[in-house]
Amino acid sequence: MESVEHLDELTCTAQGSIARAVATMAPGGDSARFVNDLRTEVTAVDDFPDGADPAIVRELHRTDTVTSVAVAGDLPPAHLERYAAGLQDRLSALPGVAKVTLSGFGVRQFAITV
């Protein structure tokens, strides 16, 4: 991987029978070339264990899901929704966070009687 231009960081994790490597591109790099160079390097690896699935090299986008957070408690649903909306605002304000999506709450409906 040392030959991949604009490689800023390479993080590898393994758990059980699954391994994952995430390569971070330094600013100023061409993402298409970066992914292609990574694909070339990974394809050149010839000592994966027998029976291993083929390696998949793909670009992660800034809006790919990184984590999910569940909000639960002994509060009325409207209070939980307000808390979750505040949490959404705080998470969105963190540096490097591209998008925070709130889901799981129903659409509010109002009935107006005249």
Side-chain angles (χ1 to χ4, degrees):
M1 294 290 174
E2 292 89 20
S3 65
V4 175
E5 289 185 41
H6 299 286
L7 178 61
D8 185 43
E9 181 180 14
L10 181 64
T11 306
C12 301
T13 56
Q15 183 177 4
S17 62
I18 298 173
R20 177 183 177 126
V22 177
T24 305
M25 184 179 74
D30 176 329
S31 62
R33 181 174 179 187
F34 183 73
V35 171
N36 191 45
D37 289 350
L38 287 170
R39 190 171 284 118
T40 300
E41 290 294 319
V42 170
T43 303
V45 175
D46 60 1
D47 60 352
F48 285 119
D50 291 337
D53 291 336
I56 298 170
V57 178
R58 70 177 185 93
E59 182 176 358
L60 295 177
H61 300 281
R62 290 184 49 86
T63 56
D64 282 355
T65 300
V66 174
T67 190
S68 296
V69 176
V71 175
D74 189 23
L75 294 172
H79 291 205
L80 286 174
E81 185 174 4
R82 278 196 299 275
Y83 176 82
L87 181 60
Q88 178 185 22
D89 291 342
R90 291 193 303 275
L91 291 172
S92 295
L94 293 173
V97 174
K99 181 179 178 182
V100 178
T101 303
L102 183 63
S103 65
F105 293 99
V107 177
R108 289 187 176 195
Q109 297 180 353
F110 297 93
I112 301 172
T113 306
V114 182

